[in-house]
Amino acid sequence: QLKFVESGGGLAQAGGSLRLSCAGSGFRLEYYAIGWFRQSPGKEREGVSCISSSGGSTWYADSVKGRFTISRDNAKNAVYLQIDSLKFEDTASYYCAADPRNCQLVKASFDFGSWGQGTQVAVSS
């Protein structure tokens, strides 16, 4: 089972920015498409962004398009999610996961069943 470590969350004001990081624990991320998910209290986990293994293709949910930027640095074994123009509704726990279907499962908000500890984002209005 692939294990991920998410970090970079915190408390930020609306309109501000945060950069989330996703690291692979004991394996190389470079072989996988990596997706970011988020889950707000009382809501289903949803896929918000995904990047192909090469970094040449990205996907964003409509709700975050234009504000979120996903990137990867395979040399550093990391995937990042830059969140700009934070909104209160971005408040959630954020998780990353490997998508063996090249982002198709992320787009479908597939429940991988096993998740990392996530990183918490709280936006104050």
PDB file of all heavy atoms in Angstrom, residues 10-37:
ATOM      1  N   GLY A  10      -2.804  25.010   7.106  1.00  0.00           N
ATOM      2  CA  GLY A  10      -2.777  25.950   8.216  1.00  0.00           C
ATOM      3  C   GLY A  10      -3.978  26.856   8.183  1.00  0.00           C
ATOM      4  O   GLY A  10      -4.923  26.631   7.422  1.00  0.00           O
ATOM      5  N   LEU A  11      -3.912  27.885   9.002  1.00  0.00           N
ATOM      6  CA  LEU A  11      -4.973  28.883   9.061  1.00  0.00           C
ATOM      7  C   LEU A  11      -4.567  30.075   8.204  1.00  0.00           C
ATOM      8  O   LEU A  11      -3.458  30.584   8.353  1.00  0.00           O
ATOM      9  CB  LEU A  11      -5.188  29.321  10.509  1.00  0.00           C
ATOM     10  CG  LEU A  11      -6.211  30.430  10.746  1.00  0.00           C
ATOM     11  CD1 LEU A  11      -7.602  29.979  10.311  1.00  0.00           C
ATOM     12  CD2 LEU A  11      -6.203  30.854  12.208  1.00  0.00           C
ATOM     13  N   ALA A  12      -5.441  30.485   7.327  1.00  0.00           N
ATOM     14  CA  ALA A  12      -5.136  31.614   6.451  1.00  0.00           C
ATOM     15  C   ALA A  12      -6.399  32.456   6.271  1.00  0.00           C
ATOM     16  O   ALA A  12      -7.514  31.971   6.454  1.00  0.00           O
ATOM     17  CB  ALA A  12      -4.629  31.130   5.099  1.00  0.00           C
ATOM     18  N   GLN A  13      -6.187  33.686   5.896  1.00  0.00           N
ATOM     19  CA  GLN A  13      -7.329  34.576   5.653  1.00  0.00           C
ATOM     20  C   GLN A  13      -7.840  34.394   4.237  1.00  0.00           C
ATOM     21  O   GLN A  13      -7.084  34.022   3.320  1.00  0.00           O
ATOM     22  CB  GLN A  13      -6.909  36.024   5.859  1.00  0.00           C
ATOM     23  CG  GLN A  13      -6.654  36.394   7.312  1.00  0.00           C
ATOM     24  CD  GLN A  13      -6.475  37.886   7.499  1.00  0.00           C
ATOM     25  OE1 GLN A  13      -5.992  38.580   6.607  1.00  0.00           O
ATOM     26  NE2 GLN A  13      -6.871  38.389   8.663  1.00  0.00           N
ATOM     27  N   ALA A  14      -9.098  34.664   4.060  1.00  0.00           N
ATOM     28  CA  ALA A  14      -9.659  34.644   2.721  1.00  0.00           C
ATOM     29  C   ALA A  14      -8.863  35.605   1.835  1.00  0.00           C
ATOM     30  O   ALA A  14      -8.502  36.701   2.266  1.00  0.00           O
ATOM     31  CB  ALA A  14     -11.124  35.049   2.761  1.00  0.00           C
ATOM     32  N   GLY A  15      -8.591  35.149   0.630  1.00  0.00           N
ATOM     33  CA  GLY A  15      -7.784  35.944  -0.283  1.00  0.00           C
ATOM     34  C   GLY A  15      -6.311  35.618  -0.228  1.00  0.00           C
ATOM     35  O   GLY A  15      -5.541  36.034  -1.104  1.00  0.00           O
ATOM     36  N   GLY A  16      -5.908  34.900   0.790  1.00  0.00           N
ATOM     37  CA  GLY A  16      -4.511  34.544   0.948  1.00  0.00           C
ATOM     38  C   GLY A  16      -4.134  33.306   0.151  1.00  0.00           C
ATOM     39  O   GLY A  16      -4.901  32.818  -0.694  1.00  0.00           O
ATOM     40  N   SER A  17      -2.950  32.786   0.448  1.00  0.00           N
ATOM     41  CA  SER A  17      -2.416  31.640  -0.293  1.00  0.00           C
ATOM     42  C   SER A  17      -1.808  30.616   0.654  1.00  0.00           C
ATOM     43  O   SER A  17      -1.347  30.962   1.749  1.00  0.00           O
ATOM     44  CB  SER A  17      -1.329  32.104  -1.272  1.00  0.00           C
ATOM     45  OG  SER A  17      -1.840  32.978  -2.243  1.00  0.00           O
ATOM     46  N   LEU A  18      -1.821  29.390   0.200  1.00  0.00           N
ATOM     47  CA  LEU A  18      -1.139  28.299   0.896  1.00  0.00           C
ATOM     48  C   LEU A  18      -0.545  27.378  -0.153  1.00  0.00           C
ATOM     49  O   LEU A  18      -1.067  27.264  -1.264  1.00  0.00           O
ATOM     50  CB  LEU A  18      -2.111  27.500   1.768  1.00  0.00           C
ATOM     51  CG  LEU A  18      -2.567  28.108   3.094  1.00  0.00           C
ATOM     52  CD1 LEU A  18      -3.664  27.252   3.711  1.00  0.00           C
ATOM     53  CD2 LEU A  18      -1.405  28.278   4.063  1.00  0.00           C
ATOM     54  N   ARG A  19       0.513  26.700   0.214  1.00  0.00           N
ATOM     55  CA  ARG A  19       1.117  25.706  -0.675  1.00  0.00           C
ATOM     56  C   ARG A  19       1.180  24.379   0.066  1.00  0.00           C
ATOM     57  O   ARG A  19       1.874  24.260   1.077  1.00  0.00           O
ATOM     58  CB  ARG A  19       2.516  26.122  -1.094  1.00  0.00           C
ATOM     59  CG  ARG A  19       3.119  25.237  -2.203  1.00  0.00           C
ATOM     60  CD  ARG A  19       4.596  25.490  -2.324  1.00  0.00           C
ATOM     61  NE  ARG A  19       5.158  24.944  -3.543  1.00  0.00           N
ATOM     62  CZ  ARG A  19       6.449  24.622  -3.668  1.00  0.00           C
ATOM     63  NH1 ARG A  19       7.271  24.797  -2.659  1.00  0.00           N
ATOM     64  NH2 ARG A  19       6.885  24.143  -4.819  1.00  0.00           N
ATOM     65  N   LEU A  20       0.444  23.422  -0.442  1.00  0.00           N
ATOM     66  CA  LEU A  20       0.422  22.099   0.153  1.00  0.00           C
ATOM     67  C   LEU A  20       1.447  21.205  -0.528  1.00  0.00           C
ATOM     68  O   LEU A  20       1.713  21.348  -1.723  1.00  0.00           O
ATOM     69  CB  LEU A  20      -0.968  21.483   0.026  1.00  0.00           C
ATOM     70  CG  LEU A  20      -2.145  22.341   0.493  1.00  0.00           C
ATOM     71  CD1 LEU A  20      -3.432  21.541   0.401  1.00  0.00           C
ATOM     72  CD2 LEU A  20      -1.921  22.882   1.884  1.00  0.00           C
ATOM     73  N   SER A  21       2.002  20.302   0.244  1.00  0.00           N
ATOM     74  CA  SER A  21       2.981  19.353  -0.287  1.00  0.00           C
ATOM     75  C   SER A  21       2.521  17.930  -0.053  1.00  0.00           C
ATOM     76  O   SER A  21       1.892  17.621   0.955  1.00  0.00           O
ATOM     77  CB  SER A  21       4.342  19.563   0.383  1.00  0.00           C
ATOM     78  OG  SER A  21       4.862  20.844   0.105  1.00  0.00           O
ATOM     79  N   CYS A  22       2.884  17.068  -0.987  1.00  0.00           N
ATOM     80  CA  CYS A  22       2.568  15.648  -0.891  1.00  0.00           C
ATOM     81  C   CYS A  22       3.856  14.881  -1.148  1.00  0.00           C
ATOM     82  O   CYS A  22       4.497  15.072  -2.193  1.00  0.00           O
ATOM     83  CB  CYS A  22       1.519  15.295  -1.935  1.00  0.00           C
ATOM     84  SG  CYS A  22       1.244  13.520  -2.182  1.00  0.00           S
ATOM     85  N   ALA A  23       4.229  14.048  -0.217  1.00  0.00           N
ATOM     86  CA  ALA A  23       5.438  13.247  -0.356  1.00  0.00           C
ATOM     87  C   ALA A  23       5.088  11.769  -0.285  1.00  0.00           C
ATOM     88  O   ALA A  23       4.159  11.374   0.423  1.00  0.00           O
ATOM     89  CB  ALA A  23       6.428  13.604   0.741  1.00  0.00           C
ATOM     90  N   GLY A  24       5.841  10.987  -1.005  1.00  0.00           N
ATOM     91  CA  GLY A  24       5.673   9.542  -0.922  1.00  0.00           C
ATOM     92  C   GLY A  24       6.513   8.990   0.207  1.00  0.00           C
ATOM     93  O   GLY A  24       7.662   9.398   0.372  1.00  0.00           O
ATOM     94  N   SER A  25       5.950   8.086   0.971  1.00  0.00           N
ATOM     95  CA  SER A  25       6.678   7.490   2.089  1.00  0.00           C
ATOM     96  C   SER A  25       7.234   6.152   1.652  1.00  0.00           C
ATOM     97  O   SER A  25       6.530   5.153   1.584  1.00  0.00           O
ATOM     98  CB  SER A  25       5.734   7.322   3.290  1.00  0.00           C
ATOM     99  OG  SER A  25       6.412   6.696   4.369  1.00  0.00           O
ATOM    100  N   GLY A  26       8.532   6.124   1.309  1.00  0.00           N
ATOM    101  CA  GLY A  26       9.177   4.874   0.961  1.00  0.00           C
ATOM    102  C   GLY A  26       9.014   4.420  -0.478  1.00  0.00           C
ATOM    103  O   GLY A  26       9.328   3.281  -0.808  1.00  0.00           O
ATOM    104  N   PHE A  27       8.532   5.316  -1.338  1.00  0.00           N
ATOM    105  CA  PHE A  27       8.417   4.947  -2.748  1.00  0.00           C
ATOM    106  C   PHE A  27       8.551   6.213  -3.586  1.00  0.00           C
ATOM    107  O   PHE A  27       8.470   7.329  -3.076  1.00  0.00           O
ATOM    108  CB  PHE A  27       7.076   4.257  -3.028  1.00  0.00           C
ATOM    109  CG  PHE A  27       5.891   5.181  -2.928  1.00  0.00           C
ATOM    110  CD1 PHE A  27       5.336   5.754  -4.055  1.00  0.00           C
ATOM    111  CD2 PHE A  27       5.346   5.493  -1.690  1.00  0.00           C
ATOM    112  CE1 PHE A  27       4.262   6.620  -3.964  1.00  0.00           C
ATOM    113  CE2 PHE A  27       4.270   6.345  -1.582  1.00  0.00           C
ATOM    114  CZ  PHE A  27       3.728   6.916  -2.717  1.00  0.00           C
ATOM    115  N   ARG A  28       8.763   6.044  -4.866  1.00  0.00           N
ATOM    116  CA  ARG A  28       8.933   7.174  -5.778  1.00  0.00           C
ATOM    117  C   ARG A  28       7.593   7.562  -6.375  1.00  0.00           C
ATOM    118  O   ARG A  28       6.879   6.751  -6.950  1.00  0.00           O
ATOM    119  CB  ARG A  28       9.903   6.813  -6.898  1.00  0.00           C
ATOM    120  CG  ARG A  28      11.294   6.438  -6.435  1.00  0.00           C
ATOM    121  CD  ARG A  28      12.023   7.614  -5.842  1.00  0.00           C
ATOM    122  NE  ARG A  28      12.155   8.730  -6.775  1.00  0.00           N
ATOM    123  CZ  ARG A  28      12.711   9.897  -6.471  1.00  0.00           C
ATOM    124  NH1 ARG A  28      13.173  10.108  -5.247  1.00  0.00           N
ATOM    125  NH2 ARG A  28      12.795  10.853  -7.362  1.00  0.00           N
ATOM    126  N   LEU A  29       7.287   8.868  -6.272  1.00  0.00           N
ATOM    127  CA  LEU A  29       6.030   9.376  -6.832  1.00  0.00           C
ATOM    128  C   LEU A  29       6.066   9.462  -8.351  1.00  0.00           C
ATOM    129  O   LEU A  29       5.022   9.499  -9.000  1.00  0.00           O
ATOM    130  CB  LEU A  29       5.738  10.777  -6.272  1.00  0.00           C
ATOM    131  CG  LEU A  29       5.322  10.915  -4.811  1.00  0.00           C
ATOM    132  CD1 LEU A  29       5.143  12.390  -4.469  1.00  0.00           C
ATOM    133  CD2 LEU A  29       4.070  10.153  -4.531  1.00  0.00           C
ATOM    134  N   GLU A  30       7.246   9.519  -8.909  1.00  0.00           N
ATOM    135  CA  GLU A  30       7.384   9.858 -10.319  1.00  0.00           C
ATOM    136  C   GLU A  30       6.695   8.881 -11.258  1.00  0.00           C
ATOM    137  O   GLU A  30       6.437   9.209 -12.409  1.00  0.00           O
ATOM    138  CB  GLU A  30       8.862   9.961 -10.680  1.00  0.00           C
ATOM    139  CG  GLU A  30       9.629   8.656 -10.513  1.00  0.00           C
ATOM    140  CD  GLU A  30      11.130   8.892 -10.664  1.00  0.00           C
ATOM    141  OE1 GLU A  30      11.566   9.230 -11.761  1.00  0.00           O
ATOM    142  OE2 GLU A  30      11.844   8.732  -9.646  1.00  0.00           O
ATOM    143  N   TYR A  31       6.381   7.682 -10.778  1.00  0.00           N
ATOM    144  CA  TYR A  31       5.755   6.681 -11.641  1.00  0.00           C
ATOM    145  C   TYR A  31       4.236   6.789 -11.689  1.00  0.00           C
ATOM    146  O   TYR A  31       3.582   6.038 -12.410  1.00  0.00           O
ATOM    147  CB  TYR A  31       6.145   5.282 -11.173  1.00  0.00           C
ATOM    148  CG  TYR A  31       7.630   5.073 -11.120  1.00  0.00           C
ATOM    149  CD1 TYR A  31       8.286   4.850  -9.911  1.00  0.00           C
ATOM    150  CD2 TYR A  31       8.405   5.117 -12.283  1.00  0.00           C
ATOM    151  CE1 TYR A  31       9.653   4.669  -9.854  1.00  0.00           C
ATOM    152  CE2 TYR A  31       9.770   4.943 -12.235  1.00  0.00           C
ATOM    153  CZ  TYR A  31      10.395   4.711 -11.017  1.00  0.00           C
ATOM    154  OH  TYR A  31      11.746   4.540 -10.974  1.00  0.00           O
ATOM    155  N   TYR A  32       3.679   7.725 -10.912  1.00  0.00           N
ATOM    156  CA  TYR A  32       2.239   7.770 -10.731  1.00  0.00           C
ATOM    157  C   TYR A  32       1.652   9.133 -11.073  1.00  0.00           C
ATOM    158  O   TYR A  32       2.274  10.170 -10.831  1.00  0.00           O
ATOM    159  CB  TYR A  32       1.879   7.452  -9.281  1.00  0.00           C
ATOM    160  CG  TYR A  32       2.393   6.124  -8.795  1.00  0.00           C
ATOM    161  CD1 TYR A  32       3.616   6.061  -8.143  1.00  0.00           C
ATOM    162  CD2 TYR A  32       1.671   4.964  -8.996  1.00  0.00           C
ATOM    163  CE1 TYR A  32       4.112   4.846  -7.699  1.00  0.00           C
ATOM    164  CE2 TYR A  32       2.148   3.745  -8.537  1.00  0.00           C
ATOM    165  CZ  TYR A  32       3.371   3.690  -7.899  1.00  0.00           C
ATOM    166  OH  TYR A  32       3.847   2.487  -7.460  1.00  0.00           O
ATOM    167  N   ALA A  33       0.435   9.095 -11.623  1.00  0.00           N
ATOM    168  CA  ALA A  33      -0.383  10.301 -11.598  1.00  0.00           C
ATOM    169  C   ALA A  33      -0.811  10.510 -10.153  1.00  0.00           C
ATOM    170  O   ALA A  33      -1.166   9.555  -9.456  1.00  0.00           O
ATOM    171  CB  ALA A  33      -1.606  10.144 -12.500  1.00  0.00           C
ATOM    172  N   ILE A  34      -0.754  11.765  -9.711  1.00  0.00           N
ATOM    173  CA  ILE A  34      -1.070  12.077  -8.313  1.00  0.00           C
ATOM    174  C   ILE A  34      -2.232  13.055  -8.266  1.00  0.00           C
ATOM    175  O   ILE A  34      -2.237  14.069  -8.982  1.00  0.00           O
ATOM    176  CB  ILE A  34       0.138  12.684  -7.585  1.00  0.00           C
ATOM    177  CG1 ILE A  34       1.324  11.726  -7.626  1.00  0.00           C
ATOM    178  CG2 ILE A  34      -0.231  13.051  -6.151  1.00  0.00           C
ATOM    179  CD1 ILE A  34       1.130  10.425  -6.885  1.00  0.00           C
ATOM    180  N   GLY A  35      -3.190  12.752  -7.431  1.00  0.00           N
ATOM    181  CA  GLY A  35      -4.344  13.626  -7.279  1.00  0.00           C
ATOM    182  C   GLY A  35      -4.453  14.184  -5.875  1.00  0.00           C
ATOM    183  O   GLY A  35      -3.955  13.600  -4.911  1.00  0.00           O
ATOM    184  N   TRP A  36      -5.073  15.342  -5.791  1.00  0.00           N
ATOM    185  CA  TRP A  36      -5.410  15.953  -4.510  1.00  0.00           C
ATOM    186  C   TRP A  36      -6.918  15.862  -4.302  1.00  0.00           C
ATOM    187  O   TRP A  36      -7.698  16.124  -5.228  1.00  0.00           O
ATOM    188  CB  TRP A  36      -4.990  17.421  -4.467  1.00  0.00           C
ATOM    189  CG  TRP A  36      -3.543  17.640  -4.211  1.00  0.00           C
ATOM    190  CD1 TRP A  36      -2.562  17.863  -5.128  1.00  0.00           C
ATOM    191  CD2 TRP A  36      -2.903  17.686  -2.929  1.00  0.00           C
ATOM    192  NE1 TRP A  36      -1.356  18.033  -4.502  1.00  0.00           N
ATOM    193  CE2 TRP A  36      -1.542  17.938  -3.151  1.00  0.00           C
ATOM    194  CE3 TRP A  36      -3.348  17.547  -1.618  1.00  0.00           C
ATOM    195  CZ2 TRP A  36      -0.617  18.046  -2.112  1.00  0.00           C
ATOM    196  CZ3 TRP A  36      -2.440  17.658  -0.590  1.00  0.00           C
ATOM    197  CH2 TRP A  36      -1.089  17.905  -0.839  1.00  0.00           C
ATOM    198  N   PHE A  37      -7.286  15.521  -3.091  1.00  0.00           N
ATOM    199  CA  PHE A  37      -8.673  15.455  -2.674  1.00  0.00           C
ATOM    200  C   PHE A  37      -8.863  16.368  -1.472  1.00  0.00           C
ATOM    201  O   PHE A  37      -7.898  16.701  -0.784  1.00  0.00           O
ATOM    202  CB  PHE A  37      -9.047  14.028  -2.255  1.00  0.00           C
ATOM    203  CG  PHE A  37      -9.010  13.020  -3.360  1.00  0.00           C
ATOM    204  CD1 PHE A  37      -7.810  12.560  -3.871  1.00  0.00           C
ATOM    205  CD2 PHE A  37     -10.182  12.501  -3.880  1.00  0.00           C
ATOM    206  CE1 PHE A  37      -7.770  11.618  -4.889  1.00  0.00           C
ATOM    207  CE2 PHE A  37     -10.169  11.550  -4.898  1.00  0.00           C
ATOM    208  CZ  PHE A  37      -8.954  11.117  -5.392  1.00  0.00           C
TER     209      PHE A  37
END
